[in-house]
Amino acid sequence: MTWFYCDMRLTRLSRLVLAGTAIGLVGVGLCLSLLRFWILPELPRYRPQLEAAVGQLLGETLRMGALSAELTGLDPALVARDVCVLNAAS
């Protein structure tokens, strides 16, 4: 009787591990989908704030022509095109 009870506990444990793994994978998939389809497409909207923050960090005036964001595999990328750093003399 003891060995049967032990096997039932292992079966429950394996079910819990399998369910936890499935829930974790679904959660990761939802987070990546949220990042790819909701957060990254909205980043170009914040170009003026990003220009101001980076310009303040550099101590210079910064201008960006275009800002885009993409997710390639698991690597998010923020691409700034036509970036100009203007110093006080310009």
Side-chain angles (χ1 to χ4, degrees), residues 43-63:
L43 282 179
R45 204 170 107 189
Y46 297 101
R47 184 174 52 92
Q49 290 92 336
L50 186 62
E51 282 179 352
V54 174
Q56 184 179 10
L57 182 68
L58 294 174
E60 302 289 343
T61 304
L62 184 80
R63 296 287 176 247

Side-chain angles (χ1 to χ4, degrees), residues 35-36 40 69-77 79:
L35 178 69
R36 180 177 203 122
L40 289 180
E70 57 189 35
L71 184 66
T72 305
L74 295 176
D75 300 325
V79 180

